């Protein structure tokens, strides 16, 4: 019989029934029934004492582990059997845990008890978000520079950064003349950005640091780090003149080449032989070469006659030939000189695109004043009169037909150039023309634009197919407001 209430029970060391034993002993004594948990609303992370912030979804294993660590000290005298979440409203700022614990009481009897602990979510801004709000508080900056007139490489780089989400750790992005600055709260994030740039574009980097403060008692130093990244000053559609030594090492190709693409290397093509080569960043800085013309110096020519070269024999030691281009001999005339009989003869790699009467953009080397050490030393007979770059299409028609868009980074701009819009349109046209370039970029379907089609619009201009476009996902806030929607999404 139970010594308290006289109820018949199986024998146990305490000689008491479970109900009477619970009235005598509370094994959850000393365990708090309400605990505070700190949550940063900006980055949606929880504080794990003493100073670590971790990302946890509601009712996840990570959040359960974080809550139990808050109770670890007070639960040292009991044994945890089971723990689980009780459902609460996502925006109630309450998390409830149901715990089952055991403890040895009165002459070796083991008592098990189930109880609920309520965790109250307290808002607190983490150190990283403090730095973001302060805007000027940064530990490291990556200064990306390219000494060119055109920003095509920067537009390509921006899309790569967006695709790989490397802009999320930045405190601030500032666009200035000839480049962009990325500000970071830690040196490690800045170093990741530098490593990414070295893998995606041909460049070279330097690092420096400045001492801000020094604690002589704890021997700690506070530095601000600066990483300077210089991208090679060559863009797509630039005409370049290689040094004789570099041209020979690339398979005896001609010195006058056209840059058809800039990715992790510089892709060059010889317009007179279709020979292609790739120049990486290290090779470029050892044998540097510069662009002979800017995009503004390109002139419009009209094709008078085209003759495809079928069997072209390569010289000894020649490198790879391009299979995507066709070699042709072309007679062209400037559209500004149609009242004269002046025509130019040249070889081009655009034989698969050009027909009689087409408009094409090219660089007039015969009448240009070029100040380049390698061109000045070349045999004048080896310098072509005209280098054709790309076929010209009606820009207004292309813009009307374009039913896709790109995302952009949020950045501070200083001294906006009036030419930026034209350069951005050039980059969009390059994406339409070059399939290899756009496979590294996320292209989104623009639902707000309906392409206008007409019989006169089909001029053969390249387009991006619907298969290559992504749907732009937009998550709207629900009736609970921004905070509730964020927690529901989580």
């Amino acid at each position: 019989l139970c010594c308290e209430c006289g109820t018949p029970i199986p024998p146990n060391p305490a000689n008491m029934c479970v109900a009477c034993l619970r009235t005598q002993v509370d094994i959850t004594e000393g365990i708090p029934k309400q605990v505070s948990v700190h949550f940063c609303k900006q980055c949606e992370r929880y504080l794990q004492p003493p100073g670590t912030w971790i990302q946890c979804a509601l009712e996840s294993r990570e959040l359960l582990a974080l809550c139990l660590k808050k109770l670890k000290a007070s639960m040292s005298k009991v044994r945890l059997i089971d723990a689980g979440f009780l459902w609460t409203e996502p925006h109630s700022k309450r998390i409830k845990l149901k715990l089952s614990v055991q403890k040895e009481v009165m002459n070796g009897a083991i008592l098990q008890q189930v109880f609920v602990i309520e965790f109250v979510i307290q808002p607190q801004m983490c150190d990283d978000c403090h730095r973001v709000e302060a805007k000027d508080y940064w530990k490291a900056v990556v200064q990306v520079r390219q000494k060119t007139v055109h920003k095509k490489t920067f537009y390509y780089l921006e899309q790569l950064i967006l695709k790989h989400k490397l802009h999320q750790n930045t405190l601030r992005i500032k666009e200035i003349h000839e480049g962009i600055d990325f500000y970071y709260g830690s040196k490690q994030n800045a170093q990741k950005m530098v490593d990414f740039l070295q893998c995606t574009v041909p460049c070279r980097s330097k690092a420096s640091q400045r001492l801000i403060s020094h604690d002589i008692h704890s021997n700690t130093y506070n530095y601000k780090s600066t990483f300077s990244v210089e991208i090679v000053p060559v863009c797509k559609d630039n005409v370049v003149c290689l040094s004789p030594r570099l041209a020979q090492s690339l398979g005896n190709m001609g010195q006058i080449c056209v840059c058809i693409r800039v990715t992790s290397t510089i892709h060059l093509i010889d317009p007179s032989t279709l020979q292609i080569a790739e120049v990486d960043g290290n090779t470029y800085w050892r044998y540097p070469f510069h662009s002979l013309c800017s995009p503004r110096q390109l002139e419009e020519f009209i094709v008078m006659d085209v003759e495809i070269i079928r069997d072209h024999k390569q010289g000894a030691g020649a490198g790879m030939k391009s299979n995507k281009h066709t070699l042709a001999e072309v007679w062209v005339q400037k559209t500004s000189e149609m009242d004269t009989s002046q025509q130019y003869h040249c070889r081009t790699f655009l034989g698969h695109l050009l027909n009689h009467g087409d408009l094409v953009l090219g660089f007039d080397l015969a009448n240009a004043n070029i100040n380049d050490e390698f061109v000045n030393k070349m045999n004048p007979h080896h310098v072509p009169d005209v280098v054709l770059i790309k076929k010209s299409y009606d820009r207004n028609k292309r813009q009307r037909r374009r039913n896709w868009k790109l995302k952009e980074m949020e950045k501070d701009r200083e001294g906006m150039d009036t030419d930026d819009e034209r350069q951005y349109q050039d980059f969009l046209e390059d994406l339409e023309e070059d399939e290899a370039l756009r496979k590294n970029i996320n292209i989104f379907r623009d639902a707000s634009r309906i392409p206008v089609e007409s019989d006169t619009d089909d001029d053969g201009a390249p387009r991006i197919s619907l298969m290559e476009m992504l749907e732009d996902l937009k998550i709207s806030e629900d009736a609970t407001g921004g905070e509730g929607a964020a927690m529901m999404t989580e």
Side-chain angles (χ1 to χ4, degrees):
L1 299 178
C2 174
C3 65
E4 288 288 329
C5 62
T7 306
I9 58 168
N12 64 52
N15 289 330
M16 295 172 69
C17 66
V18 176
C20 295
L21 197 57
R22 281 182 177 157
T23 60
Q24 296 290 326
V25 180
D26 181 16
I27 64 172
T28 65
E29 188 179 1
I31 301 176
K33 302 301 185 290
Q34 193 174 59
V35 185
S36 295
V37 176
H38 295 287
F39 176 73
C40 177
K41 291 192 290 186
Q42 269 77 5
C43 59
E44 297 183 353
R45 294 188 297 175
Y46 292 87
L47 174 64
Q48 182 176 319
T52 309
W53 291 84
I54 58 174
Q55 197 103 24
C56 301
L58 287 177
E59 300 193 8
S60 64
R61 295 176 63 181
E62 294 82 5
L63 186 58
L64 182 64
L66 184 141
C67 293
L68 292 177
K69 281 180 182 177
K70 301 278 283 185
L71 305 170
K72 189 175 181 180
S74 58
M75 293 178 64
S76 58
K77 296 180 181 179
V78 297
R79 183 183 175 195
L80 181 64
I81 301 301
D82 188 30
F85 288 100
L86 292 178
W87 188 85
T88 54
E89 286 284 348
H91 54 273
S92 64
K93 295 193 181 295
R94 296 290 186 276
I95 300 172
K96 288 186 178 180
L97 279 189
K98 183 181 179 181
L99 302 182
S100 301
V101 294
Q102 284 183 352
K103 186 180 180 183
E104 188 178 323
V105 296
M106 286 191 185
N107 304 323
I110 296 176
L111 182 64
Q112 181 170 322
Q113 191 171 337
V114 179
F115 64 105
V116 175
I117 296 180
E118 185 179 65
F119 291 86
V120 181
I121 298 176
Q122 301 282 359
Q124 179 180 331
M125 190 179 285
C126 65
D127 294 340
D128 293 336
C129 292
H130 261 300
R131 293 185 185 124
V132 173
E133 292 299 317
K135 291 194 184 297
D136 292 327
Y137 190 83
W138 51 272
K139 288 286 186 71
V141 60
V142 179
Q143 299 173 338
V144 187
R145 299 288 182 270
Q146 187 184 30
K147 297 175 180 176
T148 56
V149 179
H150 209 288
K151 297 181 179 179
K152 283 183 182 179
T153 309
F154 278 115
Y155 291 134
Y156 173 69
L157 195 58
E158 178 184 13
Q159 296 305 316
L160 287 179
I161 291 170
L162 284 168
K163 182 175 181 178
H164 296 281
K165 299 181 179 177
L166 281 172
H167 63 295
Q168 293 181 341
N169 294 325
T170 56
L171 304 180
R172 184 186 179 200
I173 301 174
K174 184 179 178 184
E175 183 177 343
I176 62 168
H177 181 59
E178 289 188 346
I180 305 177
D181 290 346
F182 298 90
Y183 294 89
Y184 291 92
S186 67
K187 185 179 178 181
Q188 289 78 10
N189 288 334
Q191 186 65 55
K192 281 182 187 175
M193 184 63 163
V194 174
D195 295 341
F196 174 77
L197 291 173
Q198 289 175 338
C199 294
T200 51
V201 288
C203 60
R204 61 180 175 182
S205 63
K206 292 180 182 177
S208 64
Q209 56 185 16
R210 182 162 57 98
L211 181 65
I212 304 301
S213 60
H214 173 212
D215 188 349
I216 58 174
H217 300 292
S218 60
N219 202 29
T220 56
Y221 297 83
N222 182 19
Y223 287 103
K224 276 192 174 182
S225 304
T226 301
F227 296 89
S228 175
V229 179
E230 184 181 356
I231 303 174
V232 295
V234 178
C235 288
K236 185 180 184 298
D237 297 335
N238 281 169
V239 180
V240 297
C241 183
L242 308 181
S243 65
R245 189 171 178 181
L246 178 60
Q248 186 179 8
S249 67
L250 295 176
N252 288 329
M253 68 189 301
Q255 287 183 249
I256 301 292
C257 295
V258 178
C259 175
I260 53 174
R261 194 182 304 119
V262 178
T263 53
S264 55
T265 56
I266 305 170
H267 298 253
L268 300 174
I269 187 168
D270 184 354
S272 59
T273 62
L274 284 192
Q275 192 172 329
I276 54 174
E278 294 184 15
V279 179
D280 60 8
N282 293 331
T283 308
Y284 175 84
W285 298 117
R286 234 176 317 163
Y287 307 107
F289 51 86
H290 302 284
S291 172
L292 300 182
C293 68
S294 67
R296 293 179 183 175
Q297 292 175 294
L298 291 178
E299 296 185 65
E300 193 174 58
F301 295 85
I302 186 167
V303 178
M304 307 305 289
D305 194 11
V306 180
E307 185 179 329
I308 303 295
I309 301 175
R310 300 294 178 188
D311 300 318
H312 175 69
K313 293 183 180 180
Q314 289 184 289
M320 294 266 299
K321 270 183 71 174
S322 174
N323 297 323
K324 295 182 180 179
H325 302 87
T326 304
L327 189 63
E329 290 192 351
V330 186
W331 283 261
V332 293
Q333 187 173 4
K334 288 184 185 180
T335 53
S336 59
E337 297 178 354
M338 293 300 289
D339 54 342
T340 67
S341 60
Q342 177 68 41
Q343 290 190 9
Y344 300 92
H345 171 260
C346 66
R347 281 192 174 187
T348 180
F349 57 94
L350 301 175
H352 58 298
L353 295 175
L354 299 183
N355 295 305
H356 178 73
D358 285 348
L359 295 176
V360 62
L361 294 176
F363 181 47
D364 183 5
L365 285 170
N367 301 315
N369 183 14
I370 301 171
N371 186 18
D372 186 88
E373 57 173 329
F374 302 131
V375 176
N376 295 338
K377 292 177 183 177
M378 279 182 68
N379 186 340
H381 298 292
H382 294 162
V383 180
D385 291 341
V386 171
V387 178
L388 302 181
I389 305 296
K390 61 180 179 179
K391 190 175 177 180
S392 179
Y393 300 98
D394 190 338
R395 171 164 286 184
N396 293 328
K397 289 181 181 178
R398 293 182 78 167
Q399 287 181 359
R400 282 201 307 271
R401 276 203 312 245
R402 192 171 293 141
N403 60 339
W404 54 274
K405 63 182 178 179
L406 300 175
K407 290 192 173 179
E408 294 185 29
M409 289 190 300
E410 293 183 8
K411 49 184 179 279
D412 303 333
R413 296 173 185 263
E414 277 191 7
M416 272 288 292
D417 192 355
T418 54
D419 203 34
D420 282 358
E421 181 59 33
R422 186 186 65 81
Q423 293 184 12
Y424 188 67
Q425 291 298 327
D426 285 346
F427 173 68
L428 297 182
E429 291 172 5
D430 288 343
L431 288 182
E432 290 176 335
E433 294 165 10
D434 194 345
E435 187 178 348
L437 189 67
R438 65 176 179 259
K439 72 179 182 181
N440 301 323
I441 290 176
N442 286 340
I443 295 171
F444 297 91
R445 190 170 69 87
D446 192 353
S448 63
R449 297 192 63 178
I450 301 173
V452 179
E453 297 286 349
S454 68
D455 297 336
T456 59
D457 275 358
D458 193 13
D459 56 354
R463 305 190 199 184
I464 296 179
S465 65
L466 203 60
M467 296 288 290
E468 298 177 75
M469 299 181 198
L470 301 172
E471 289 289 343
D472 194 7
L473 180 63
K474 291 182 180 178
I475 301 175
S476 58
E477 295 180 358
D478 63 354
T480 58
E483 187 180 315
M487 294 188 75
M488 287 289 283
T489 308
E490 216 33 69

